[in-house]
Amino acid sequence: MGEDEGPVLQDLLHEQSIKVVHRCSNWEEVVKIAGEMLLREGAVEEQYITAMTQVIKEHGPYVVITPGIALVHARPEDGVQEVCMSLLVCREGVSFGNTEKDPVHLIFAFGAVDDNQHLKALSQLMTLLNDEACIHKLRSSSSVAEVLAVLRECVN
Amino acid sequence: MKIVTVCGMGFGTSLMVKMTIDDILNEVGFNAEVEASDIGSITGRVADLFVTSTEMQNQFSGIESDVIFLKNMTDKQEIREKLLTYLNHKAKR
């Protein structure tokens, strides 16, 4: 399989695609902020943000894949130009309506162009999500620089 | 054996679970075909085993294949335990 193809996590998560905010009012706002980082990079079209919101409305809060962490995305045909990912750290946490896994502190948004080119980054993300110490550090980061430092330390 | 991992769209979590299962099967030397799928296309899909999230449980009510429901789709430990328990059980039957 083509797991070795495509960008690595740190190609995707950089200064422009990471944001740390203190408070978020609701999940819609969170998805918008995470999506706008991808939009500003030119990696997705504006409709992709609407599509990500729609997916959550349709499929429900299962996007909260593990306690405190949401993975939001739509389909390649919803307006993805290139493989991309953004990370929003919401210090106070936000509810996605998932009683068991709320509040969410880390929101990863991504865009895929097919079912292959984002595999390397997803695989690295999976490993990161299984590292409790790193996740704790990410959640308690108070600046983009801190987040980047954690990623440098935790992702290889 | 054919294993299908399932999430809402078949592009994110199900791929992460698929890669984890591939690694585990590789490690224990078990041969199976593993694919990722979206929840919308599971009806009529042929698989010996589906692996998905407990939150999808309702949508699997009519499915006759075996299903592993995961509390945390990204918990490698949970995936490993449930998958190996299933395969051991299957081998004894």
Side-chain angles (χ1 to χ4, degrees):
Chain A
M1 63 189 258
E3 205 183 314
D4 294 329
E5 290 169 31
V8 297
L9 199 59
Q10 273 154 313
D11 292 334
L12 304 177
L13 292 178
H14 46 74
E15 212 164 347
Q16 278 77 43
S17 57
I18 299 170
K19 204 166 205 167
V20 179
V21 294
H22 190 67
R23 180 176 295 173
C24 315
S25 34
N26 51 49
W27 70 260
E28 284 96 335
E29 184 194 49
V30 161
V31 172
K32 196 160 176 264
I33 297 172
E36 274 168 356
M37 287 191 269
L38 306 179
L39 180 64
R40 268 200 306 275
E41 285 186 353
V44 302
E45 291 161 28
E46 190 147 18
Q47 52 155 338
Y48 192 70
I49 302 175
T50 318
M52 288 197 294
T53 310
Q54 200 53 40
V55 165
I56 298 173
K57 283 183 180 157
E58 267 170 39
H59 292 279
Y62 94 96
V63 294
V64 187
I65 50 177
T66 189
I69 300 172
L71 183 65
V72 297
H73 67 102
R75 295 178 178 82
E77 59 268 31
D78 292 319
V80 182
Q81 302 296 335
E82 59 183 38
V83 179
C84 54
M85 190 181 285
S86 65
L87 166 59
L88 176 64
V89 181
C90 183
R91 303 260 299 161
E92 279 196 351
V94 61
S95 166
F96 271 71
N98 188 318
T99 41
E100 282 177 32
K101 295 169 188 163
D102 277 339
V104 172
H105 293 269
L106 298 176
I107 300 92
F108 292 88
F110 77 88
V113 292
D114 53 28
D115 52 15
N116 197 38
Q117 285 185 53
H118 60 308
L119 281 186
K120 178 67 191 167
L122 273 192
S123 159
Q124 290 173 298
L125 180 62
M126 183 75 167
T127 303
L128 178 65
L129 296 183
N130 278 272
D131 190 327
E132 258 177 63
C134 290
I135 290 303
H136 180 77
K137 281 184 205 164
L138 277 183
R139 281 176 54 155
S140 28
S141 297
S142 52
S143 69
V144 174
E146 262 182 67
V147 173
L148 284 169
V150 177
L151 291 176
R152 265 196 303 276
E153 180 196 329
C154 294
V155 180
N156 42 37
Chain B
M1 179 184 276
K2 181 153 175 184
I3 302 173
V4 176
T5 62
V6 185
C7 69
M9 272 165 298
F11 279 103
T13 335
S14 59
L15 282 171
M16 289 157 94
V17 176
K18 174 203 149 39
M19 289 187 280
T20 306
I21 292 180
D22 278 334
D23 288 346
I24 297 167
L25 294 181
N26 228 340
E27 188 191 311
V28 300
F30 189 90
N31 208 4
E33 189 188 336
V34 191
E35 279 176 16
S37 169
D38 67 291
I39 185 73
S41 23
I42 56 156
T43 318
R45 186 132 189 182
V46 183
D48 300 291
L49 172 68
F50 287 102
V51 180
T52 190
S53 153
T54 44
E55 281 141 4
M56 299 274 179
Q57 209 144 4
N58 289 340
Q59 285 150 97
F60 279 83
S61 53
I63 300 287
E64 283 175 18
S65 312
D66 296 330
V67 188
I68 289 177
F69 292 105
L70 300 169
K71 269 197 275 188
N72 287 341
M73 290 280 274
T74 58
D75 184 344
K76 287 189 179 185
Q77 194 56 39
E78 186 186 0
I79 298 172
R80 168 180 289 270
E81 278 165 16
K82 289 188 173 167
L83 180 68
L84 294 182
T85 304
Y86 171 82
L87 292 177
N88 281 333
H89 182 67
K90 195 88 181 160
K92 280 180 199 146
R93 256 190 282 177

